[in-house]
Amino acid sequence: MRAVIVAIGVAFLVSLFCTPIAIKVFTRLKAGQPIRAEGPAMHQGKKGTPTMGGVVFILATVIAYVAGHLALTTLPDAQIAQVEPTITALVLLGLMVFSGAVGFIDDFLKVRKRHSGGLNKRGKLAGQIVVGAIFGVVALYFPSSMTDVSGNATNTETVGSTMLSFIRDIPALEIGKIGAVIVIILVVMAATNGVNLTDGLDGLATGASVMVLAAYALIAFWQYRHWCADPNYTEAYCYSVRDPLEIALIAGAAAGACVGFLWWNTSPARIFMGDTGALGLGGLIAGMAMSTRTILLLPIIGGLFVIITMSVVIQIISFRTTGKRVFRMSPLQHHFELAGWSEVNIVVRFWIIAGIGVAIALGLFYSEFLAAVS
């Protein structure tokens, strides 16, 4: 627990104090956010606000991970802990950094062209597929080699699973390694685009991501406290996952980094996360669902992202089939802007929706444990 707290604190402080530096640097580089002409008219006042702020909280998360591991070295040897960096960290941080890199290319092109177009849709999807495929393969083909004091293997799990999962792996839904890699790619695409579509108002995606990542930190730490690899905890209801403390540490660090960034990103935002931050967060959230074996729980825990994504899908299908729009504008947050809601009201109310999804997901997760125990 000490390592997780250290990681959260370091990430928060790095993000809080480095974001103003990023604001000055990006302002001098004239890395301002282009605003779509067809977007809400009130957004034109945001033109020129520095973008690519996701660089700050991505770096803060990586730095905090290192700090958390330094804290782990002070733990007693008798306690189960991953003192050395693991494949789990490589996969999770890799998904965050390289998904963020795809977003950075998009942001860079927008700034360079002074246009909101950026990287085209095919290029962005291709980048997401490549990132998901690479780290999906790593997640499925590198089992743990953790052993006990006698040299016996205590945990041979991979980061990802060849089964679909809800609260745990579902044995009846075995899909094999190739099928699992395909599922990971789809989850990465869904999560990155879901967070990206949500990132339309000051602080909206940042605050929602804090809740989701905090929930995954709680889930992973609970799995760590009831881990099948712990020789002192071998009950039938333990969790067969790989490196749950690593997952909790990274989720907590990312949540703390986002809170520090939110200080500057809340309305009126002094900096935007850009596609760099949105895709980076989406990639990490996808990794969290995969590594905690809760893939089918993700649509609930990230309920706000699902609702906003579906508003876009519904709008496109309706317009192409009937020529009519269901919403004044999509994504959904812009519909309410045009309906006269203030930006702050929309953000706070959507945060409430995000919190409800997180609460339901955590309730399902814990109720499953209670059912298993009883």
Side-chain angles (χ1 to χ4, degrees):
M1 187 66 177
R2 182 193 311 170
V4 177
I5 293 173
V6 168
I8 293 171
V10 169
F12 170 74
L13 292 174
V14 170
S15 187
L16 180 66
F17 292 110
C18 289
T19 300
I21 298 174
I23 293 172
K24 293 179 181 179
V25 171
F26 290 141
T27 299
R28 289 177 182 175
L29 294 175
K30 298 181 179 180
Q33 175 70 45
I35 303 297
R36 293 186 306 161
E38 62 273 19
M42 60 282 289
H43 284 204
Q44 295 305 313
K46 300 181 181 184
K47 186 175 181 180
T49 302
T51 187
M52 296 187 282
V55 170
V56 179
F57 58 72
I58 290 174
L59 289 176
T61 301
V62 175
I63 293 170
Y65 171 75
V66 175
H69 265 266
L70 292 176
L72 278 176
T73 60
T74 65
L75 293 175
D77 294 338
Q79 185 169 348
I80 294 294
Q82 303 85 34
V83 176
E84 299 296 328
T86 64
I87 290 292
T88 302
L90 173 66
V91 170
L92 295 179
L93 294 176
L95 282 169
M96 187 181 198
V97 171
F98 285 94
S99 294
V102 175
F104 182 85
I105 295 171
D106 186 37
D107 287 332
F108 177 79
L109 292 175
K110 290 177 183 177
V111 171
R112 185 176 181 181
K113 297 177 182 178
R114 305 297 177 187
H115 188 270
S116 61
L119 189 64
N120 61 46
K121 294 180 180 179
R122 290 183 179 179
K124 192 180 293 185
L125 288 175
Q128 293 166 351
I129 291 171
V130 170
V131 172
I134 291 173
F135 290 101
V137 169
V138 174
L140 267 298
Y141 287 85
F142 290 88
S144 174
S145 57
M146 183 178 291
T147 58
D148 59 21
V149 292
S150 302
N152 300 315
T154 59
N155 182 26
T156 57
E157 297 287 341
T158 53
V159 181
S161 173
T162 57
M163 307 174 202
L164 290 180
S165 55
F166 182 54
I167 304 299
R168 306 170 188 265
D169 284 336
I170 305 173
L173 298 180
E174 171 74 44
I175 56 177
K177 288 186 176 180
I178 295 177
V181 171
I182 293 173
V183 168
I184 291 170
I185 292 171
L186 294 175
V187 173
V188 169
M189 293 172 63
T192 51
N193 286 299
V195 178
N196 199 20
L197 290 171
T198 304
D199 182 34
L201 300 179
D202 296 350
L204 177 57
T206 309
S209 296
V210 168
M211 298 181 203
V212 172
L213 291 167
Y216 275 120
L218 291 173
I219 287 172
F221 193 77
W222 184 264
Q223 291 175 333
Y224 169 65
R225 298 294 295 176
H226 304 85
W227 191 21
C228 293
D230 188 340
N232 299 316
Y233 203 97
T234 57
E235 287 86 347
Y237 47 84
C238 63
Y239 295 92
S240 297
V241 296
R242 175 171 179 171
D243 310 322
L245 186 59
E246 286 278 83
I247 303 169
L249 192 153
I250 294 171
C258 286
V259 172
F261 181 76
L262 184 60
W263 182 275
W264 307 100
N265 180 235
T266 192
S267 183
R270 292 186 56 188
I271 188 170
F272 299 142
M273 70 167 68
D275 281 16
T276 305
L279 268 60
L281 287 174
L284 178 60
I285 289 171
M288 289 292 157
M290 169 188 66
S291 58
T292 57
R293 312 292 173 87
T294 56
I295 284 179
L296 297 181
L297 189 66
L298 178 58
I300 301 175
I301 205 168
L304 178 66
F305 302 140
V306 174
I307 292 170
I308 289 177
T309 301
M310 289 307 300
S311 73
V312 176
V313 173
I314 291 170
Q315 186 86 322
I316 292 173
I317 293 174
S318 176
F319 188 74
R320 290 183 178 179
T321 56
T322 68
K324 298 180 179 179
R325 292 180 172 85
V326 176
F327 307 104
R328 290 180 171 91
M329 182 178 290
S330 65
L332 187 62
Q333 60 267 32
H334 299 321
H335 167 82
F336 289 106
E337 277 191 292
L338 297 182
W341 290 24
S342 71
E343 182 170 4
V344 173
N345 275 341
I346 298 170
V347 170
V348 172
R349 287 168 180 171
F350 276 37
W351 281 352
I352 292 172
I353 295 172
I356 291 172
V358 165
I360 292 173
L362 289 176
L364 290 171
F365 180 84
Y366 186 63
S367 64
E368 187 274 345
F369 178 82
L370 291 180
V373 171
S374 62

